[in-house]
Amino acid sequence: MTLRHLLSISDLDPAQLRALLDRAQDLRPRALGGSALRETLQGRTVCPLFFEASTRTRSSFMLAATRLGADVLPFDAGNSSGKKGETAIDTMRNLEAMGVDCFIVRTAIDGELRALVAAAKPETRFINAGDGRSNHPTQALLDMLTIRQHKGTDFSRLKIVIAGDILHSRVARSGLQALKMLGCGEIRVCGPDTLMPRDGTLDGCTRMSRFDDAVAGADVLMMLRLQRERMEQGLVGEPEAYFAEYGLDLRRLALAAPDAIVMHPGPMNRGVEIADEVADGARSVILEQVSNGVAVRMAVLQAVFAA
């Protein structure tokens, strides 16, 4: 399959979404080592243009590009000319003039990514690595891949819980788009009312106020981080009180289906949204999500360079 850019899950149709997941699954054995695909992007230059801090996403994109043989041009926002007042568009254009073929962009500003795309040369490719509160499509893809590996391809029989700070979560928005596209049987959302979106993000979901009720019989539990850096004062109380009401501990996990899996996009606030014994327990697939991220990002890079 081919894509010029991947800015949102909504850029895909169901067939393209499934094709990316299939390709990522095929790539997984080679994503974590080996050199069989080093010629795939030989001669291409990829730049992770991260204006916001990241560990997992930035590292896995760099690994994915390297596994495919691309040249990776590092970018350090903390030491860039942005500190001198240069705009993101000017930064992008200067790097583009050096021969960058594809930008992998993370930004805290909604709308900035699409402004960069509009200002770039037509042949330059863009992949969204997280923009504001809006989208994080490759996180959604790796989450869907992880679910498929444990639960199969028929999402219509699944009960999936997304819990926590949905209002500020680009992960939740992209994940919800993907789950709906894959025909998920029931999507339950739970969290403080102050952290629930008021737009159409939750259309088609079952809103539940008690976390115990949301967890009961669920097949997949997707916990979200409290994004205090994006919050206004007073949207949520003290961490201890939040954990008591919405934290996933062993007691609550016992309410889920016996083979339920626990997911988290990271970074985790242990003892706030998830207990240590759950995060590190037998039902946690959190590190599998991280591993799957490399394969998913290889699949996406192959797709955008095939266009």
Side-chain angles (χ1 to χ4, degrees), residues 89 92-93 96 103 115-124 126:
I89 287 176
M92 181 275 296
R93 283 176 170 163
E96 186 182 48
F103 290 99
L116 291 171
V117 174
K121 298 175 183 176
E123 65 270 20
T124 302
F126 285 85

Side-chain angles (χ1 to χ4, degrees), residues 29-41:
R30 288 183 277 185
L32 302 180
S35 59
L37 298 174
R38 298 279 181 178
E39 295 182 0
T40 306
L41 298 184

Side-chain angles (χ1 to χ4, degrees), residues 33-226:
S35 59
L37 298 174
R38 298 279 181 178
E39 295 182 0
T40 306
L41 298 184
Q42 190 173 25
R44 301 288 196 169
T45 302
V46 171
C47 178
L49 196 61
F50 279 51
F51 298 105
E52 192 179 38
S54 169
T55 300
R56 283 157 296 279
T57 302
R58 186 174 187 273
S59 299
S60 66
F61 263 118
M62 292 178 72
L63 265 178
T66 301
R67 294 275 187 260
L68 294 171
D71 295 321
V72 179
L73 178 65
F75 171 78
D76 180 0
N79 293 311
S80 75
S81 292
K83 293 291 186 180
K84 303 175 183 177
E86 182 174 82
T87 68
I89 287 176
D90 282 336
T91 296
M92 181 275 296
R93 283 176 170 163
N94 277 279
L95 295 172
E96 186 182 48
M98 297 178 195
V100 172
D101 300 295
C102 177
F103 290 99
I104 300 160
V105 180
R106 171 166 286 200
T107 173
I109 303 171
D110 289 308
E112 185 170 56
L113 173 58
R114 292 190 182 274
L116 291 171
V117 174
K121 298 175 183 176
E123 65 270 20
T124 302
R125 297 151 175 85
F126 285 85
I127 300 171
N128 186 351
D131 68 313
R133 302 181 185 183
S134 303
N135 296 281
H136 197 346
T138 59
Q139 180 69 44
L141 289 169
L142 71 88
D143 288 344
M144 298 308 109
L145 180 61
T146 307
I147 293 170
R148 287 208 326 180
Q149 289 166 346
H150 286 268
K151 301 298 178 182
T153 59
D154 183 7
F155 278 57
S156 67
R157 62 183 183 83
L158 297 179
K159 299 179 180 69
I160 296 181
V161 176
I162 301 180
D165 183 4
I166 297 176
L167 177 64
H168 301 100
S169 178
R170 55 198 174 203
V171 171
R173 284 176 170 80
S174 289
L176 287 167
Q177 289 175 346
L179 288 171
K180 293 172 187 177
M181 197 175 289
L182 292 171
C184 183
E186 184 180 1
I187 306 170
R188 303 172 181 175
V189 295
C190 187
D193 186 64
T194 53
L195 299 181
M196 292 292 117
R198 302 291 185 240
D199 55 16
T201 299
L202 302 182
D203 290 351
C205 301
T206 301
R207 174 79 185 277
M208 305 185 81
S209 56
R210 292 187 71 249
F211 191 35
D212 284 22
D213 294 339
V215 171
D219 302 294
V220 178
L221 304 171
M222 302 177 68
M223 306 306 296
L224 299 175
R225 179 175 68 89
L226 281 180

Side-chain angles (χ1 to χ4, degrees), residues 210 212 215 244 247-256 277-278:
R210 292 187 71 249
D212 284 22
V215 171
L248 184 60
D249 56 15
L250 288 176
R251 181 192 69 79
R252 284 191 168 121
L253 181 57
L255 302 174
E277 57 268 28
V278 175

